[in-house]
């Protein structure tokens, strides 16, 4: 009797599970899980084969980036294709209502695939992932038909700030619009900056100024448009922004000072890319002007980031401000036995033999002083490429002077002392110890 009851209970349990398994939503869920696992396994074999072909794309970095983004989601692409095939097949043999669960899964997978691939255009990984998840969540709410309920719930989560009612929905919309508009403004600003930099009709300073104004201006306009689009009254934030502005003014004083100094430098064209400058012992050429600093590259390859404020408040030597011609002085001395007229002539010829010395402006050599042990001269010559260095050209001129003086028997004196020893006659003759 007990054995028969156990059999009846087992058959009843199996019957209930069979009825449960043939329900539309259960077998649809089973189909979705099976297709997802099959897509995962198939992607492991297909992705390496397709990736090797994709790596052969040359000269199209944008296309390669999109292709790689699609390859990283091969499993989702296959899963979407399998779901679409299952949906078409099942609707051909059964009622559409029995495929509703698969249709929702297909819509959600398509939304995630679109959002994840589209977010790859953003290079920042954190921002890209956040954008993908927010886009997919919104699409999921629309697909499930609960977007209105979710919006009502988020609208109820609000904090009154004076005349402004700040809700969670408003913050979310503002964040999404702000990210989208600022990103678009940055892209457009970079495009304008690149177009201006290659323009030959503008001076280097004007190119940098136009690029900076375009970038900053577009970002500010994008922020204002985003906040206004969500219904946020910007005038209501005047008091709050004023209080915050006072605090930021103290904390960002140097930053603002450097930014304004950079604008002044660009407007008065005192420093521009390519200039050769000297500042507090730093000698080099200006590589780039930024909003906060100036990039100066020295002859030894070091790159100094000098704040813009230093170029306004300190003494700066711009070797190429009006033109690239720079005069250099080399001081030297010769023996008193040498003819100063011949020395001057030899020094001028030696300077002109150096390639970097300007030939159009003839060097000059002057006798400057009758020194303690030498005739002192100064040799002055011009160069037109100070960015190539000053010490090296001085060294070449000195070597040319050395060779010329050696060939003509002119000595270069060096310090020496003569010690005269005299006998001490007084100490030996004096008596008395």
């Amino acid at each position: 009797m007990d054995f028969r009851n156990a059999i009846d209970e087992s058959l009843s349990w199996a019957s209930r599970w069979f009825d449960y398994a043939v329900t539309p939503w259960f077998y649809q869920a089973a189909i979705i899980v099976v297709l997802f696992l099959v897509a995962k396994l198939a992607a492991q074999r297909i992705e390496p084969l397709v990736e090797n072909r994709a790596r052969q794309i040359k000269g199209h970095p944008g296309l390669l980036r999109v292709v790689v983004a699609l390859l990283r989601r091969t499993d989702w692409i296959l899963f979407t294709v399998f779901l679409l095939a299952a949906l078409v097949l099942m609707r051909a043999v059964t009622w559409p209502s029995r495929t509703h669960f698969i249709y929702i899964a297909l819509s959600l997978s398509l939304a995630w695939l679109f959002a994840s691939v589209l977010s790859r255009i953003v290079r920042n990984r954190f921002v890209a992932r956040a954008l993908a998840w927010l886009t997919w969540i919104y699409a999921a709410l629309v697909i499930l038909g609960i977007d209105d309920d979710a919006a009502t719930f988020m609208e109820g989560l609000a904090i009154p700030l004076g005349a402004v009612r700040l809700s969670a929905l408003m913050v979310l919309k503002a964040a999404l619009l702000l990210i989208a508009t600022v990103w678009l403004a940055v892209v457009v600003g970079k495009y304008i900056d690149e177009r201006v930099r290659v323009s030959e009709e503008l001076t280097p300073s004007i190119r940098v100024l136009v690029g900076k104004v375009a970038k900053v201006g577009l970002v500010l306009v994008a922020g204002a448009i985003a906040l206004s689009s969500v219904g946020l009254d910007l005038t209501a934030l005047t008091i709050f922004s004023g209080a915050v502005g006072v605090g930021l003014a103290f904390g960002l004083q140097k930053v603002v000072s450097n930014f304004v100094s950079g604008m002044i430098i660009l407007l008065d064209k005192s420093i521009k890319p390519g200039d050769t400058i000297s500042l507090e012992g730093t000698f080099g050429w200006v590589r780039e002007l930024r909003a906060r600093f100036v990039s100066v590259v020295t002859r030894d390859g070091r790159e100094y980031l000098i704040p813009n404020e230093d170029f306004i408040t300190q003494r700066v030597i711009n070797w190429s401000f009006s033109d690239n011609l720079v005069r250099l002085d080399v001081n030297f001395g010769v023996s008193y036995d040498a003819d100063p007229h011949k020395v001057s002539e030899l020094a001028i010829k030696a300077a002109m033999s150096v390639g970097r010395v300007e030939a159009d402006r003839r060097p000059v050599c002057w006798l400057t002083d009758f020194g303690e042990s030498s005739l002192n001269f100064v040799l002055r010559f011009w160069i037109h490429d100070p960015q190539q260095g000053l010490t090296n050209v001085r060294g070449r001129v000195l070597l040319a002077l050395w060779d010329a003086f050696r060939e003509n028997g002119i000595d270069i004196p060096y310090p020496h002392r003569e010690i005269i020893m005299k006998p001490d006659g007084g100490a030996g003759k004096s008596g008395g110890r």
Side-chain angles (χ1 to χ4, degrees):
M1 192 70 178
D2 293 337
F3 178 72
R4 181 176 295 179
N5 291 334
I7 293 177
D8 293 340
E9 290 180 0
S10 299
L11 293 175
S12 177
W13 180 83
S15 176
R16 288 196 303 268
W17 268 104
F18 179 78
D19 295 338
Y20 186 72
V22 296
T23 54
W25 75 268
F26 183 85
Y27 66 74
Q28 290 181 70
I31 291 174
I32 293 171
V33 172
V34 171
L35 292 179
F36 183 77
L37 295 176
V38 172
K40 282 286 187 181
L41 295 175
Q44 293 179 0
R45 290 182 170 270
I46 296 176
E47 183 175 344
L49 299 177
V50 181
E51 185 174 0
N52 293 332
R53 300 291 300 274
R55 294 297 180 183
Q56 299 177 2
I57 299 176
K58 304 295 183 182
H60 301 281
L63 177 61
L64 180 61
R65 186 178 180 86
V66 175
V67 171
V68 172
L70 290 172
L71 286 177
R72 293 294 178 266
R73 290 153 183 84
T74 304
D75 50 352
W76 283 97
I77 295 176
L78 295 176
F79 179 54
T80 304
V81 172
F82 292 162
L83 284 177
L84 180 61
L87 181 64
V88 172
L89 180 62
M90 291 183 65
R91 285 192 172 181
V93 299
T94 186
W95 298 100
S97 59
R98 296 179 178 271
T99 59
H100 182 67
F101 200 15
I102 295 179
Y103 173 76
I104 292 178
L106 176 62
S107 302
L108 292 176
S109 62
L110 280 173
W112 171 247
L113 184 62
F114 177 78
S116 59
V117 173
L118 184 63
S119 64
R120 295 287 294 181
I121 61 178
V122 181
R123 296 186 179 274
N124 189 291
R125 294 180 61 86
F126 175 77
V127 176
R129 290 181 178 180
L131 183 62
W133 276 103
L134 290 175
T135 304
W136 182 78
I137 290 173
Y138 177 75
L141 294 176
V142 174
I143 292 172
L144 297 176
I146 57 175
D147 53 324
D148 293 335
D149 298 334
T152 303
F153 174 76
M154 296 182 67
E155 185 68 27
L157 301 176
I159 300 175
L161 295 176
V164 180
R165 184 175 180 272
L166 193 63
S167 64
L169 182 61
M170 179 181 293
V171 172
L172 181 60
K173 288 182 178 180
L176 292 176
L177 285 175
L178 195 62
I179 292 173
T181 54
V182 170
W183 174 81
L184 183 61
V186 170
V187 172
V188 175
K190 287 184 178 180
Y191 175 77
I192 295 175
D193 187 27
E194 292 175 357
R195 298 294 298 177
V196 169
R197 286 182 181 273
V198 299
S199 176
E200 298 181 354
E201 300 177 356
L202 302 176
T203 62
S205 299
I206 297 299
R207 296 174 194 169
V208 177
L209 179 61
V210 172
K212 288 184 177 180
V213 171
K215 288 180 180 180
V216 177
L218 287 173
V219 170
L220 293 177
V221 171
I225 293 175
L227 295 178
S228 300
S229 300
V230 297
L232 185 62
D233 188 5
L234 299 180
T235 59
L237 301 177
T238 304
I239 299 177
F240 177 74
S241 60
V244 174
V246 172
L248 291 176
F250 290 101
L252 302 178
Q253 182 179 3
K254 286 294 183 180
V255 176
V256 175
S257 175
N258 287 318
F259 180 78
V260 175
S261 299
M263 301 298 290
I264 294 174
I265 290 173
L266 293 174
L267 289 174
D268 63 13
K269 302 178 183 179
S270 57
I271 302 293
K272 57 185 180 295
D275 282 353
T276 304
I277 61 98
S278 296
L279 176 64
E280 292 185 343
T282 301
F283 174 83
W285 60 277
V286 178
R287 190 181 71 88
E288 188 178 7
L289 300 177
R290 291 288 187 92
R292 189 180 59 84
F293 59 84
V294 176
S295 172
V296 178
V297 180
T298 60
R299 290 284 298 167
D300 56 1
R302 298 180 182 179
E303 187 169 2
Y304 290 86
L305 307 180
I306 304 176
N308 293 329
E309 186 181 7
D310 292 351
F311 290 90
I312 300 295
T313 59
Q314 299 183 20
R315 180 176 296 179
V316 182
I317 300 177
N318 191 338
W319 297 85
S320 54
F321 177 65
S322 56
D323 55 49
N324 288 326
L325 286 175
V326 176
R327 193 190 74 179
L328 299 179
D329 296 348
V330 172
N331 298 295
F332 64 93
V334 298
S335 171
Y336 271 94
D337 296 332
D339 181 5
H341 300 284
K342 186 177 181 180
V343 170
S344 178
E345 181 181 353
L346 291 174
I348 293 174
K349 290 182 179 179
M352 294 184 66
S353 66
V354 178
R356 288 182 57 194
V357 175
E358 187 68 23
D360 296 336
R361 295 198 176 191
R362 181 181 175 84
V364 295
C365 184
W366 304 108
L367 176 63
T368 60
D369 187 22
F370 295 104
E372 181 180 353
S373 59
S374 65
L375 296 174
N376 297 328
F377 291 83
V378 58
L379 175 62
R380 291 173 175 170
F381 57 91
W382 296 81
I383 63 173
H384 61 276
D385 52 355
Q387 66 274 9
Q388 299 298 326
L390 305 180
T391 304
N392 52 6
V393 69
R394 283 197 182 100
R396 293 175 184 174
V397 171
L398 287 172
L399 288 175
L401 287 175
W402 174 269
D403 295 337
F405 292 162
R406 288 291 297 270
E407 292 176 0
N408 291 272
I410 297 175
D411 295 330
I412 299 176
Y414 53 88
H416 61 278
R417 296 291 183 267
E418 292 183 359
I419 301 176
I420 301 176
M421 305 294 293
K422 293 184 177 181
D424 189 359
K429 294 180 180 180
S430 62
R433 285 193 173 185

